[in-house]
Amino acid sequence: MGPASITHEQLEAFDEVGIAELARRLEEDDYPTAFAGLGDWHLLRALAIHRPELARPYVHLVDQEPFDEE
């Protein structure tokens, strides 16, 4: 699921249980490919923007820490 396919209705349908499950998947990072979790990350990011009160406990999963590639 890319960012363009996330609808307002999907975001409004989320509740504490749904976002906790989304966060669990992201924390476990047990996706079949390196890019499979990207859809969940985009969804959590959209929730953090549009429903910050719901995403607040999981914002650490959206934040990107700086790193040195060398």
Side-chain angles (χ1 to χ4, degrees), residues 3-70:
S5 64
I6 298 171
T7 66
H8 178 72
E9 291 77 19
Q10 284 176 303
L11 298 176
E12 287 301 314
F14 262 83
D15 59 10
E16 289 83 8
V17 173
I19 199 163
E21 175 62 22
L22 177 66
R24 182 197 58 77
R25 290 194 309 263
L26 286 165
E27 285 175 344
E28 290 178 0
D29 194 26
D30 188 23
Y31 295 98
T33 69
F35 296 103
L38 196 55
D40 278 354
W41 184 85
H42 280 293
L43 182 54
L44 183 60
R45 183 173 174 264
L47 285 163
I49 292 168
H50 298 284
R51 307 252 340 253
E53 73 289 348
L54 193 61
R56 192 166 288 118
Y58 310 106
V59 74
H60 66 279
L61 295 170
V62 176
D63 290 341
Q64 296 292 316
E65 295 184 24
F67 62 92
D68 187 2
E69 294 182 1
E70 292 181 31

